[in-house]
Every structure is written in C-alpha cells, then in structure tokens.
Amino acid sequence: MECMIDILPSAETVQRPSLNLSMSSRKQKLNLRVILWNAANVVPLGGYTTDVFTVCQLLGEYGQVEDEQQTDVHPSCKQDELANFNWRMKFKKQDFPNPKKIFMLRLQLWEKNTATANKGIAEGLLPIESVFRECAERNLGRASA
C-alpha cells in the first residue's frame, strides 16, 4: 500500500488541485471465469432419466445478455445422481466500474430433447457486482487483473 501526503500552505492549495483516487475514475478490463462442476437433485421432466446441459449468461445493462456460453450434455441423468460437467467458461473483458451496468450471472439448466424443443428445468440469478468490485479494488494499479 502506498500513501502520499501533501502538506502545503493554504495559499498554494488553490494552485494545485487534488488528485482523484477513487475507484470510479479508474476503469479496468475484467474477465469473468466460471467453472461448473455438478448439478444436484435434477428432476427428469419426462421419465426416469434425462439429458441435461447448462447455459450461463452474463447480463449487463437493462438485463441484456452480454455473453452466453453453454456446457456439453450430460446424458442419462437420474434424479438421485449428480449431473457432472467440469466445464470452464471465460467471459469477455468487461469495463468495471460501469454505472450503466449491474452485473448478474444467469444460470439455467435445460433438458436436451432431439425430437422436440429443449425444456427449461431450473434458472437462477447470481449477483456478481460485488465480486467484480472486490477484484478491481484488489488489483487497482496493476496492469493485469
């Protein structure tokens, strides 16, 4: 941690404006990396087993999808087993802080069906604004976050 202190006579303070050291004045490009390992308690919609996959969406301004990625399909998932993925996703660089965006991650679990349209099983929203903020504050001043 660095600290700079200027002690000046009050007459000189008018000539030298103070520096803005707040986070909002320093934008950083941050990547979001997500690892999906397992999905538990998956309930098959139409039978004893189901083929499932997950979709991750990074939401930005007004809930619009900034980026979307999905895993491969876990075949024949039963209700009492885990759907295993071990899938890594890397979302594109985002400017942070950005007052127009409240970053959220939408996680969806889908049933894969080749004959008809895929069906949604579950969905959840995860607020990640605090994760971005913590990362930006921890890496403030470094070239790579």
Side-chain angles (χ1 to χ4, degrees):
M1 174 183 253
E2 281 186 37
C3 180
M4 182 188 340
I5 300 174
D6 285 337
I7 301 175
L8 303 169
S10 58
E12 287 184 36
T13 59
V14 177
Q15 298 168 355
R16 296 179 63 184
S18 61
L19 298 174
N20 184 0
L21 300 176
S22 69
M23 268 270 305
S24 61
S25 67
R26 298 181 179 201
K27 289 199 183 279
Q28 295 185 34
K29 295 265 189 202
L30 299 177
N31 286 329
L32 175 65
R33 296 178 184 184
V34 177
I35 301 172
L36 292 168
W37 277 295
N38 301 315
N41 302 324
V42 177
V43 178
L45 295 178
Y48 181 65
T49 64
T50 187
D51 300 337
V52 295
F53 67 97
T54 60
V55 175
C56 264
Q57 297 173 331
L58 180 63
L59 306 179
E61 186 177 7
Y62 305 115
Q64 294 177 343
V65 177
E66 297 277 324
D67 197 357
E68 176 178 307
Q69 297 183 28
Q70 67 183 42
T71 64
D72 59 349
V73 175
H74 177 91
S76 303
C77 181
K78 298 176 187 173
Q79 184 172 355
D80 56 349
E81 349 177 287
L82 294 174
N84 297 315
F85 297 107
N86 195 12
W87 197 266
R88 281 134 172 94
M89 300 176 182
K90 182 178 175 185
F91 292 92
K92 64 184 177 181
K93 292 184 177 184
Q94 299 292 323
D95 283 328
F96 188 84
N98 189 338
K100 293 185 178 180
K101 294 183 183 178
I102 298 174
F103 291 99
M104 300 282 281
L105 189 66
R106 179 186 292 152
L107 300 165
Q108 299 173 322
L109 186 67
W110 289 85
E111 180 181 62
K112 181 77 171 173
N113 196 331
T114 54
T116 61
N118 297 332
K119 297 177 184 174
I121 297 175
E123 177 178 287
L125 285 173
L126 182 65
I128 55 172
E129 182 85 15
S130 61
V131 176
F132 272 31
R133 182 168 308 286
E134 181 183 335
C135 180
E137 288 172 355
R138 192 175 14 180
N139 294 293
L140 195 60
R142 293 186 190 158
S144 175

